[in-house]
Amino acid sequence: MSGHAHVDGQLPHEPEKATLEGRNKVLGFWLFLGGETVLFGTLFSAFLALRHQVGDGNPTANELFELPTVALATFILLTSSLTSVFAIQSMHTNRVKSMINWLIITVIFGLAFLGLEIYEFTNYVHEGHKFSTSAFSTSFYTLVGFHGAHVLFGVLWISILIAQVFKKGLNVVTAPKIYVAGMYWHFIDVVWVFIFTVVYLMGKVG
């Protein structure tokens, strides 16, 4: 990292917007997130239409969901959103080491969330709630699993960016990548808030 210290010190306050290419990346990613919003909206609609379609003898949402586990996962993911904010703030003040540390913590929180989700899904399968058990189970695993896949992608993406910063330093090329990765991470956190509310809280109250 020392080989990039002088270059890093010359970066503008918002290096992700310092070049036309960087600004285009940010704008293009906003458009991408718009498409993702439509896709998740479709999955939410399907879940709401099918959430009461439970076969005879199959567990219902109220019987399945354990809110303490889901609440812990929610706390972890929302905390990771905060650590990603700290990473971007560190980037804007050219504190590269601090930025990397916050990104690493974000990745760790993301992995912890995925671990809890795998634990949750495993318990559901043991209780007879499999992907093809009912229309409810299919729509549940499709929505929540699709979000989990996005979290996994985000973890891998941020990990690759951390490696790039170690190799190339923080500059007007790597900064936009880190910024849009932070946008992506906030997006999947917001989607999870809706999942927690629509799937789990509404499921428990019937």
Side-chain angles (χ1 to χ4, degrees), residues 47-204:
F47 175 81
L48 287 171
L50 300 173
R51 67 191 185 103
H52 294 302
Q53 305 300 315
V54 181
D56 293 338
N58 295 322
T60 63
N62 186 45
E63 296 168 337
L64 277 173
F65 297 153
E66 298 178 1
L67 286 186
T69 301
V70 182
L72 176 59
T74 302
F75 173 78
I76 289 173
L77 197 60
L78 293 183
T79 302
S80 75
S81 188
L82 181 62
T83 59
S84 70
V85 169
F86 292 156
I88 298 301
Q89 288 178 341
S90 296
M91 182 182 76
H92 285 164
T93 54
N94 295 335
R95 292 179 292 130
V96 182
K97 184 177 293 187
S98 174
M99 180 194 73
I100 291 175
N101 288 338
W102 284 120
L103 289 176
I104 291 173
I105 294 172
T106 301
V107 166
I108 292 172
F109 278 133
L111 291 173
F113 173 84
L114 289 173
L116 282 175
E117 189 161 87
I118 292 171
Y119 168 79
E120 175 195 10
F121 283 7
T122 301
N123 285 346
Y124 293 165
V125 170
H126 287 163
E127 294 182 31
H129 185 65
K130 301 178 182 179
F131 182 82
S132 58
T133 299
S134 64
F136 160 60
S137 65
T138 300
S139 61
F140 167 81
Y141 283 118
T142 300
L143 172 58
V144 182
F146 191 64
H147 174 269
H150 277 67
V151 175
L152 177 60
F153 177 80
V155 165
L156 295 175
W157 185 8
I158 295 173
S159 299
I160 291 172
L161 291 178
I162 292 171
Q164 284 188 355
V165 173
F166 270 114
K167 183 179 180 180
K168 301 179 180 179
L170 178 63
N171 50 53
V172 294
V173 176
T174 54
K177 298 178 182 179
I178 295 169
Y179 186 80
V180 297
M183 291 170 56
Y184 175 86
W185 198 256
H186 291 314
F187 172 76
I188 59 178
D189 288 349
V190 170
V191 171
W192 179 255
V193 171
F194 281 97
I195 289 177
F196 179 70
T197 303
V198 173
V199 176
Y200 293 99
L201 291 183
M202 289 178 60
K204 290 300 286 186

Side-chain angles (χ1 to χ4, degrees), residues 22-23 31-32 38 40 49 73 115 128 154 168-169 186 191 195 205:
R23 293 192 294 272
L31 297 176
F32 167 76
V38 173
F40 271 106
K168 301 179 180 179
H186 291 314
V191 171
I195 289 177
V205 301

